[in-house]
């Protein structure tokens, strides 16, 4: 039997604010309550649940395992309640704030140009677009959708594939004129490379050698925090980089970047997905509308890279 005297949604709201803001005092200030009132509410909540949700110290507040699970479920429930109220008031039209986190190169080339069309179709949606190559936690960052390029790790997120793109090792013409063009992966030891400031699932560059794959990578002379920075370093002649074709295709066709070691290219791809939280509850209409829009208008069709008779590289298909 439900206990109607308990305002469970208010308890969840206070608990979520405590976690998001990092303390009782901060949550009390935001909610215009007294710190003692917030503390008593949390004590009542924990007593009712029969579980400790947070560990309190003078300097830090941390979630217990039960607290983490309750926090994640509370986020979903509160979001659904908010969406239910909006839909009841608006006839279920997509509306409200939509927070999207996206890989920088894909965002600049494919997502940003399509945003005007999406907002024109859904004028009641307000978009917060964050471009970063840093892997974020959707729950912690309160993001609705993240667009990720590369392998997906096991999680409770739902993924919708938007396409894939081949990886290509490239260098600027002036770099190749100065340092030579590598003829085999072994030659990379004598070249300069552009690496990453964040961990990658594949630390070396894969190359096919007969019926097996081996890894090689030039010593990094510079490291970049994102794909667009790595591209610009390569364009500047700093060294060789291995980047996705969706990102550098126009640079290859214009001759600003030149593919190397294509005879050893294993043909591996980086997949592109839109990921979101959606296992346990219906998606808010604004999130569903955006994901459907991406699937229709922002899908990546990877062309084939071929060399023409005059030695230039072209994208075909």
């Amino acid at each position: 039997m439900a206990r109607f005297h308990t305002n469970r949604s208010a308890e969840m709201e206070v608990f979520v604010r405590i976690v998001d803001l990092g303390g009782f005092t901060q949550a009390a200030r935001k909610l215009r309550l007294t710190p003692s009132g917030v503390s008593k509410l949390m004590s009542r909540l924990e007593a009712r649940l029969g579980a400790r949700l947070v560990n309190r110290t003078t300097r830090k507040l941390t979630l217990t395992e039960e607290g983490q699970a309750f926090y994640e479920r509370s986020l979903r429930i509160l979001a659904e309640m908010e969406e239910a109220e909006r839909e009841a008031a608006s006839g279920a039209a997509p509306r409200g704030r939509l927070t999207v986190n996206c890989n920088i190169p894909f965002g600049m080339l494919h997502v940003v140009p399509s945003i005007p069309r999406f907002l024109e179709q859904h004028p009641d949606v307000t978009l917060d677009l964050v471009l970063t190559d840093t892997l974020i936690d959707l729950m912690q960052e309160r993001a609705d959708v993240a667009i990720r390029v590369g392998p997906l790790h096991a999680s409770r997120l739902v993924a919708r594939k938007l396409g894939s793109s081949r990886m290509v090792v490239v260098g600027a013409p002036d770099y190749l004129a100065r340092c030579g063009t590598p003829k085999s992966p072994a030659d990379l030891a004598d070249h300069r490379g552009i690496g990453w400031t964040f961990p990658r699932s594949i630390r070396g560059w894969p190359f096919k050698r007969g019926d097996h794959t081996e890894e090689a990578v030039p010593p990094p002379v510079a490291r970049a925090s994102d794909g667009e920075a790595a591209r610009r370093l390569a364009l500047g002649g700093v060294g060789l980089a291995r980047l996705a074709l969706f990102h550098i295709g126009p640079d290859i066709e214009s001759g600003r970047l030149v593919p190397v070691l294509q005879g050893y290219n294993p043909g591996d791809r980086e997949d592109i997905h839109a990921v979101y939280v959606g296992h346990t509850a219906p998606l808010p209409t604004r999130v569903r509308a955006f994901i459907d829009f991406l699937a229709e208008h922002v899908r990546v069709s990877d062309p084939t890279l071929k060399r023409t008779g005059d030695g230039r590289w072209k994208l075909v298909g």
Side-chain angles (χ1 to χ4, degrees):
M1 177 69 69
R3 285 169 282 183
F4 293 103
H5 63 278
T6 300
N7 189 338
R8 297 183 181 184
S9 63
E11 288 180 342
M12 288 182 178
E13 176 69 21
V14 172
F15 172 63
V16 166
R17 290 300 182 96
I18 290 171
V19 176
D20 288 347
L21 297 174
F24 286 38
T25 302
Q26 297 91 321
R29 187 181 301 116
K30 187 71 173 180
L31 296 168
R32 297 183 180 180
L33 300 172
T34 64
S36 62
V38 170
S39 180
K40 289 177 182 178
L41 185 147
M42 273 299 301
S43 296
R44 288 197 303 269
L45 175 60
E46 290 177 325
R48 181 167 63 81
L49 297 178
R52 178 177 289 277
L53 301 179
V54 296
N55 291 317
R56 310 167 180 83
T57 67
T58 56
R59 293 186 177 181
K60 191 176 182 181
L61 180 148
T62 58
L63 288 173
T64 64
E65 183 177 348
E66 294 80 7
Q68 182 66 39
F70 189 71
Y71 171 74
E72 293 176 3
R73 183 63 62 87
S74 295
L75 285 177
R76 292 195 290 270
I77 292 173
L78 291 171
E80 283 301 306
M81 290 176 61
E82 181 181 357
E83 188 65 19
E85 292 176 354
R86 286 175 176 165
E87 289 184 0
S90 64
R95 64 186 300 117
R97 176 168 294 176
L98 175 71
T99 302
V100 178
N101 185 283
C102 185
N103 162 280
I104 293 174
F106 190 80
M108 292 299 295
L109 290 171
H110 295 278
V111 178
V112 171
S114 70
I115 292 301
R117 183 174 184 178
F118 173 78
L119 293 178
E120 183 179 358
Q121 293 178 4
H122 305 289
D124 293 326
V125 174
T126 301
L127 179 69
D128 287 351
L129 179 62
V130 179
L131 298 183
T132 175
D133 279 7
T134 301
L135 196 63
I136 68 150
D137 184 320
L138 265 69
M139 287 293 196
Q140 186 174 349
E141 298 293 330
R142 306 291 291 271
D144 296 302
V145 181
I147 300 173
R148 293 180 176 167
V149 178
L152 292 179
H153 302 291
S155 73
R156 288 173 291 174
L157 300 176
V158 179
R160 186 161 179 178
K161 190 172 181 178
L162 301 177
S164 65
S165 188
R166 293 179 182 85
M167 303 297 294
V168 185
V169 178
V170 292
D174 63 332
Y175 170 83
L176 297 176
R178 292 194 324 268
C179 302
T181 299
K183 304 301 182 185
S184 74
D187 294 341
L188 293 179
D190 299 321
H191 277 266
R192 298 154 62 91
I194 299 169
W196 305 103
T197 59
F198 52 87
R200 303 285 286 183
S201 58
I202 300 176
R203 296 189 179 277
W205 296 350
F207 296 97
K208 64 180 180 181
R209 177 78 73 173
D211 58 356
H212 70 280
T213 300
E214 62 183 35
E215 289 187 0
V217 65
V221 68
R223 293 181 174 88
S225 63
D226 61 80
E228 179 58 19
R231 167 184 170 267
R232 290 181 179 273
L233 289 172
L235 287 170
V238 170
L240 300 175
R242 190 170 190 266
L243 298 167
L245 194 56
F246 83 81
H247 185 192
I248 57 172
D251 297 318
I252 292 173
E253 284 207 300
S254 68
R256 294 190 297 267
L257 290 175
V258 179
V260 298
L261 300 175
Q262 275 297 96
Y264 297 91
N265 192 328
D268 61 315
R269 298 169 175 264
E270 282 208 327
D271 290 333
I272 303 157
H273 292 89
V275 298
Y276 53 95
V277 179
H279 276 305
T280 59
L283 281 177
T285 54
R286 64 185 181 279
V287 178
R288 172 58 64 191
F290 186 71
I291 292 170
D292 289 343
F293 179 88
L294 290 176
E296 181 178 358
H297 298 288
V298 194
R299 294 191 65 86
V300 175
S301 178
D302 202 25
T304 300
L305 187 60
K306 291 187 177 181
R307 201 161 196 170
T308 61
D310 60 1
R312 296 177 64 87
W313 292 92
K314 299 289 291 182
L315 302 180
V316 180

